Amino acid sequence: MRLPQVILDTTLGELYGQEDGPEGRIALALSATSSEIAPSSKVMRNSKFLYVDRPFCSTPPIYSRNERAKRQRTLAIRYLSVVPQRDAFCAGCLPVIIFDPDSSGEDTGHAKVEAKKTMSNLIADQRPKTLDFAGPEEISMEANGIDSLVARFALDQLEGLPLVIDLDTLYFLNSKQALSESGLPSPKSVLLELNDISPAATECCSLCMSQDGESVIPRDCTGVRGRWLRNRIRDIVDHFSTQPIPFVLKNQQSFGGGGTFLVSSRADLSNLTTLLSTQILPKLLSGVGPCNAHLNPATLIISEMVRDPVGEWGVNFFVQRSGRCMFLSATQPIANPTKAWIGSNISYLAHDMLKQKFTPIMLEIGAWLHSYGYFGPCGADILEEAGDKDRTTEMKIVDLNVRTTGSLTLGLLKGHFSEHRGLHHATCFSITVDKTRETFIETFAAEFTDGKMLIVGWFDDAASGTGYGFLVVGASDEDGLGEIAAKVKESASVVHF
């Protein structure tokens, strides 16, 4: 089946290339990371730059080997293949590094094949070169004509490689504490900071001394580490338990539907207390040590809840080296019942109006990022509050994603959808289906051949017979968009981040 070629309005390669700098030839490292599970034998679990994602919040303390292998496989496919493909779709001329999700550590080449299939939908001039490696330590810079890397996340294993933005700075700029102390318009917040670190395992009980590299303090620890952990958890729980309801509690670094908790009732507070005490805090507090204490990875942020917002937006823009900001899009997020992001909607007809509306706050954010030497893509999650009778609405930044975002692609497809096909509305979301890429395309042949549906990330897992995809769908109006999206979701077993 011959599919129409996609022409993006612009690409990351064009945006990075508009100003010369000392970074030389740039490549993008777009993989996500986990502090809960090592995605593969060559992509390690992050232990310095701690991230609280959904697996970190939901993985039970004890589970079977088969369950762990299943969780690892699913995470590897999403973090090392589908998500990097989705963002690589916007890369243009920049090379993109893809890590193989095969848990054997052998370079099977399947991830590269999948990425090439996805990128083949783009016109040749906007098609990135994909470089497939087993893991970060296998990256060969000089042999592939690379001088420096742009990292989407602060992967521990990227330390020591030449980076456009160093990992400490990248981690800081994405932290919730940085936003709360930035002076940018955001909800009022209180920080719960960890003022010390746990004693070393060698100073504790026999159970801790026999851990064999495991960093989490055992639940049955009877020594100084166990007492330290129980005391710190008690202090934290006591503090946020006295907060007036409603409020929002956030971990320092979170993504993918993990680490942010809305507390609207006493029942919510009780559930959060249990989750933090038994699941999140034991791992998070145990993970703070001499190598990362300066990053404040265990800081918790309690912020006021924006009640009855009149608008919820995801604003994408690009900060150039000079500090100049280029508006790309304003989308409306789609959340699941737990308020985790699963996709976004965009109206291309509203682009100019939204650009004017969000340019002032975009410039504020851009100036703050520029003051730390950052340049590159950024996404801002913004809630719009109703003002007083004589005032316009007030903008509150509730999160900054100083990296490529899941909705970035939407803003670059205005020409493809709206101008060339009259499809003025679009949505993006990820799916899991019991179909291969080819079978899924055949199922929606009319939508694909008309250019209404695009695959911007896909991985066929032969072992499970499952296809993991990320789609962008366009329609002439909101009703049509809803019909196509519903049709797709009916054929999917899961819609997820």
Side-chain angles (χ1 to χ4, degrees), residues 48 79 117 122 129 177 286 319 340 408 414 431 455:
K48 176 181 178 179
Y79 283 21
K117 284 183 180 179
L122 293 159
K129 179 182 180 182
Q177 181 175 354
S286 298
V319 183
L408 176 62
K414 183 171 180 283
I431 59 171
I455 290 175

Side-chain angles (χ1 to χ4, degrees), residues 245-250 259-265 267-269 271-272 303-306 312 335-340 383:
I245 295 173
F247 65 87
V248 180
L249 187 138
K250 297 182 179 182
T260 297
F261 308 95
L262 307 183
V263 179
S264 301
S265 66
D268 289 342
L269 181 60
N271 292 335
L272 176 60
S303 64
E304 65 179 5
M305 187 180 291
V306 178
E312 189 172 357
N336 66 13
T338 64
K339 301 299 182 181
L383 292 181

Side-chain angles (χ1 to χ4, degrees), residues 28-33 39-40 42-44 73 75-82 84-85 96-102 105-112 115 130-140 149 151-153 155 157-158 161 459:
L28 305 179
L30 299 173
S31 295
T33 185
S40 77
K42 297 293 185 178
V43 182
M44 300 292 99
R73 181 62 174 168
L75 182 140
I77 289 171
R78 292 175 182 165
Y79 283 21
L80 304 186
S81 187
V82 177
Q85 284 182 52
V96 175
I97 290 171
I98 302 287
F99 300 130
D100 199 306
D102 193 317
E106 298 178 2
D107 184 1
T108 65
H110 182 56
K112 188 173 184 177
T130 55
L131 304 173
D132 187 36
F133 299 102
E137 294 174 4
E138 313 294 327
I139 296 174
S140 51
L149 299 176
R152 184 171 186 261
F153 286 95
L155 275 67
Q157 290 172 280
L158 293 179
L161 293 175
F459 190 96

Side-chain angles (χ1 to χ4, degrees), residues 338-400:
T338 64
K339 301 299 182 181
W341 182 89
I342 58 171
S344 294
N345 292 333
I346 192 169
S347 168
Y348 296 115
L349 296 177
H351 176 86
D352 292 341
M353 179 271 290
L354 294 174
K355 178 180 179 180
Q356 182 179 10
K357 177 175 185 168
F358 289 109
T359 289
I361 197 167
M362 175 190 73
L363 295 177
E364 283 189 72
I365 300 168
W368 179 73
L369 294 173
H370 180 64
S371 71
Y372 287 95
Y374 179 80
F375 64 99
C378 180
D381 294 340
I382 296 173
L383 292 181
E384 194 176 358
E385 276 189 302
D388 296 334
K389 291 182 179 179
D390 299 327
R391 293 167 53 197
T392 58
T393 58
E394 185 177 355
M395 305 286 186
K396 294 288 182 68
I397 305 165
V398 294
D399 200 8
L400 282 181

Side-chain angles (χ1 to χ4, degrees), residues 469-481:
F470 195 90
L471 307 179
V472 181
V473 179
S476 58
D477 55 35
E478 291 185 5
D479 290 340
L481 189 65

Side-chain angles (χ1 to χ4, degrees), residues 444-460:
F444 295 94
E447 288 82 0
F448 277 106
T449 55
D450 289 345
K452 292 181 178 180
M453 188 178 295
L454 306 174
I455 290 175
V456 298
W458 193 280
F459 190 96
D460 283 326

